[in-house]
Amino acid sequence: MPNTHRPYRIIISGGGTGGHIYPAVAIANQIKAISPESEILFVGAKGRMEMTRVPEAGYKIVGLWISGLQRRLTIDNLSFPLKVLSSVRAAHKIIKDFKPDAVVGVGGYASGPLLYAATAKGIPSLIQEQNSYAGITNKLLAKRAGKVCVAYANMEKFFPAEKLVLTGNPVRQDILDITEKRREALLHFGLTSEKKTILVIGGSLGARTINQSIASGLAQITEAGYQLIWQTGKGFYTEAKELEANYTEKGIRIFDFIKRMDLAYAASDIVVSRAGALSISELCLAAKPCILVPSPNVAEDHQTKNAMALVNQHAAILVKDVEASQKLIPAALQLAQNEQEQKRLSENIKKMARPNAAAEIVNELVKLIK
């Protein structure tokens, strides 16, 4: 398609977890794909992971002094009103200096003040909600936004129906064609094609319950003849690495963070994962049979709701976090042995993939600007 787009000036705000950051970067990449001369500025929360991940992706980011409200009384909560006022003032200045054509909010702390300031000035704004249960920031801002792009049906209970567009979640493009990468992937991780591979991902910040369950089941996994790629997150990495020495010859590979997720998916036969919206969108595109262990530590238990959207379509298996220590290893071994079930889950999850999400979102953004 010929590039007929003028250069745009876009601010993308939000973050806090990989689930907010990767869709934001995918949207930025798509803007650059249709209009290479466009200028994009990210706005994040100081001290959060977007402040390093966004520059790694090649984009400029400024940080606001903002954090979430804690559920219990803390010093942070007392300073919350001050942080909001300070961030809204800083957001107004960013907008005045950058003069954006439009702003995009992807959820997370920083998107609140930025979208509030932009909509007060009448700048077109678009919200991208990743989850099947909307976050507080996005719910509050939806009345002021021009469009709300969502990844799940039936979101009218959170947002004005006339603003909703079902686009899916934008994910890393390199996950789209992993079937060709299997040989490269096994080489990359130093694994053999003779054995099945289980991939374990606890989300960008790790997942204690999943990690502890896997740690106690390493012997069972290797005795059953399976290999393992295990992303622990930073918190559990040292503990897991101490175990690895006993299993290196048996195909156990442990990482705190996996940069080449495309290769991790390509090497795997089954996946154990948290049920964050982004993880689920990636699993749909990778079309991998998976066991989801929703995190209990998220607002409104939205990961369980995300997981159930798949389970109800026979597209995933659910193991509750409280039952993981007893049930996760048996469920993984059972699935790894059952080719028929793998095939059924893989076919069903693939039907739920939305590979063009980033393009559809940017299309809506361009319409708002015009």
Side-chain angles (χ1 to χ4, degrees):
M1 185 178 99
N3 171 30
T4 53
H5 291 271
R6 67 172 176 85
Y8 301 112
R9 296 180 69 78
I10 308 289
I11 294 178
I12 301 176
S13 65
T17 65
H20 292 311
I21 298 161
Y22 295 122
V25 169
I27 291 168
N29 291 344
Q30 178 62 24
I31 293 165
K32 284 290 205 183
I34 65 161
S35 171
E37 301 300 305
S38 288
E39 282 198 48
I40 296 164
L41 176 68
F42 279 77
V43 176
K46 283 180 180 167
R48 302 293 291 191
M49 67 187 282
E50 59 266 26
M51 300 308 292
T52 52
R53 292 275 180 263
V54 168
E56 279 172 12
Y59 293 101
K60 191 182 165 201
I61 185 166
V62 261
L64 299 177
W65 182 50
I66 187 77
S67 61
L69 264 173
Q70 306 301 311
R71 305 217 164 165
R72 55 193 189 285
L73 190 64
T74 62
I75 297 295
D76 262 3
N77 274 1
L78 297 176
S79 64
F80 183 72
L82 187 64
K83 286 181 175 179
V84 171
L85 285 171
S86 146
S87 293
V88 170
R89 195 175 301 132
H92 273 292
K93 180 159 177 15
I94 290 166
I95 286 161
K96 189 171 167 234
D97 294 346
F98 189 76
K99 300 179 179 61
D101 294 309
V103 298
V104 178
V106 294
Y109 312 136
S111 66
L114 199 284
L115 260 81
Y116 180 84
T119 50
K121 285 191 160 73
I123 292 164
S125 68
L126 179 145
I127 286 172
Q128 198 259 326
E129 172 58 63
Q130 295 97 24
N131 288 293
S132 59
Y133 195 97
I136 290 176
T137 310
N138 283 351
K139 279 195 283 194
L140 290 172
L141 292 164
K143 294 180 186 68
R144 305 168 71 101
K147 276 279 182 275
V148 183
C149 293
V150 293
Y152 293 89
N154 310 316
M155 296 295 279
E156 298 80 6
K157 51 184 179 282
F158 307 112
F159 300 121
E162 70 281 2
K163 294 184 179 182
L164 286 178
V165 190
L166 180 63
T167 56
N169 280 324
V171 300
R172 298 171 266 212
Q173 287 302 295
D174 56 11
I175 291 164
L176 289 177
D177 45 2
I178 57 168
T179 38
E180 305 300 307
K181 295 182 182 175
R182 187 164 173 89
R183 199 161 155 259
E184 181 196 345
L186 291 169
L187 267 172
H188 179 83
F189 291 106
L191 298 172
T192 169
S193 57
E194 306 293 303
K195 292 180 177 181
K196 279 215 160 85
T197 304
I198 299 169
L199 167 65
V200 177
I201 30 178
S204 51
L205 304 171
R208 193 146 193 91
T209 321
I210 295 179
N211 284 334
Q212 285 170 335
S213 307
I214 296 298
S216 60
L218 282 179
Q220 285 168 273
I221 291 168
T222 54
E223 278 159 24
Y226 299 118
Q227 304 173 125
L228 181 73
I229 300 171
W230 179 12
Q231 177 180 287
T232 61
K234 286 214 176 356
F236 200 82
Y237 182 62
T238 318
E239 216 170 310
K241 270 313 234 192
E242 285 167 12
L243 300 168
E244 189 181 36
N246 312 322
Y247 294 102
T248 31
E249 297 306 302
K250 297 186 174 164
I252 302 287
R253 305 288 180 258
I254 299 172
F255 307 89
D256 60 340
F257 182 75
I258 299 173
K259 276 214 160 86
R260 291 295 306 269
M261 274 313 291
D262 59 324
L263 296 183
Y265 286 124
S268 67
D269 296 282
I270 69 164
V271 182
V272 174
S273 174
R274 279 297 196 211
L278 183 75
S279 303
I280 286 183
S281 298
E282 289 188 349
L283 289 165
C284 291
L285 279 180
K288 292 289 170 178
C290 60
I291 296 169
L292 299 173
V293 186
S295 169
N297 315 313
V298 293
E300 313 291 350
D301 195 22
H302 70 246
Q303 286 206 2
T304 298
K305 297 177 175 86
N306 290 348
M308 288 312 295
L310 268 68
V311 173
N312 293 336
Q313 301 295 321
H314 306 294
I317 292 166
L318 178 82
V319 171
K320 288 181 183 168
D321 192 83
V322 291
E323 297 174 344
S325 58
Q326 277 85 45
K327 295 187 176 175
L328 183 56
I329 294 292
L333 295 178
Q334 207 176 341
L335 179 58
Q337 283 150 17
N338 188 338
E339 301 266 344
Q340 213 174 340
E341 180 68 347
Q342 287 170 42
K343 190 168 181 287
R344 185 178 80 129
L345 290 171
S346 179
E347 283 168 1
N348 288 338
I349 201 169
K350 194 172 188 172
K351 290 176 196 160
M352 302 180 80
R354 300 190 71 101
N356 303 317
E360 288 175 33
I361 291 164
V362 171
N363 192 24
E364 292 300 328
L365 186 66
V366 169
K367 281 194 239 168
L368 285 178
I369 295 169
K370 286 177 177 166

